[in-house]
Amino acid sequence: MLKSNLKIDNRLSLIGRVADYPKRSKSPSGIEHCCFNLEHRSEQLEASFKRQAWCKITVQVSGRQLIEKTQSITVGSKLLVAGFITSHKRSNGLTQIVLHAEQIEFID
């Protein structure tokens, strides 16, 4: 059993490229939000075999401190995003996994 003082029960970090233009909004309580899709592609080793890994995940950025970092995000920006995941219910009734960013780093 892994023992740690760190809360790691819901953590995800992913490197990828921004796949579409960020959408910005503000909640009724005045909290700024930025939402974009991050596309990841890599080669992973699984059971001694190489495997192509690909995914696209919606990233939600909230709060003034992180929103400032999103001002220079454009389509194609390479980012490391770390945070927690949760389900969001879409307008069509389907759910999707969303990465709520707590850290964003630009990768050159």
Side-chain angles (χ1 to χ4, degrees):
M1 177 181 221
L2 178 67
K3 290 188 177 185
S4 173
N5 291 333
L6 297 174
K7 185 172 172 74
I8 58 170
D9 61 340
N10 185 349
R11 304 293 308 151
L12 177 67
S13 62
L14 193 64
I15 292 175
R17 294 202 180 270
V18 176
D20 53 18
Y21 290 102
K23 295 178 182 121
R24 301 178 188 286
S25 63
K26 190 179 274 194
S27 72
S29 59
I31 297 172
E32 294 181 61
H33 301 284
C34 177
C35 191
F36 57 88
N37 287 308
L38 189 69
E39 187 173 9
H40 168 86
R41 292 180 187 275
S42 64
E43 186 173 86
Q44 302 295 318
L45 195 60
E46 181 179 40
S48 300
F49 290 95
K50 290 181 180 179
R51 176 186 179 129
Q52 296 299 313
W54 176 86
C55 69
K56 187 186 275 189
I57 189 167
T58 299
V59 176
Q60 169 101 22
V61 183
S62 301
R64 180 174 292 148
Q65 188 174 14
L66 277 181
I67 288 294
E68 289 178 13
K69 276 196 163 186
T70 69
Q71 296 304 319
S72 53
I73 291 176
T74 60
V75 174
S77 294
K78 190 173 184 182
L79 305 175
L80 163 65
V81 179
F84 65 92
I85 57 172
T86 189
S87 291
H88 283 210
K89 193 167 189 175
R90 300 177 65 170
S91 59
N92 62 6
L94 299 175
T95 59
Q96 73 178 85
I97 298 293
V98 175
L99 172 57
H100 284 253
E102 296 176 319
Q103 175 187 355
I104 299 173
E105 300 297 329
F106 285 85
I107 308 224
D108 295 330

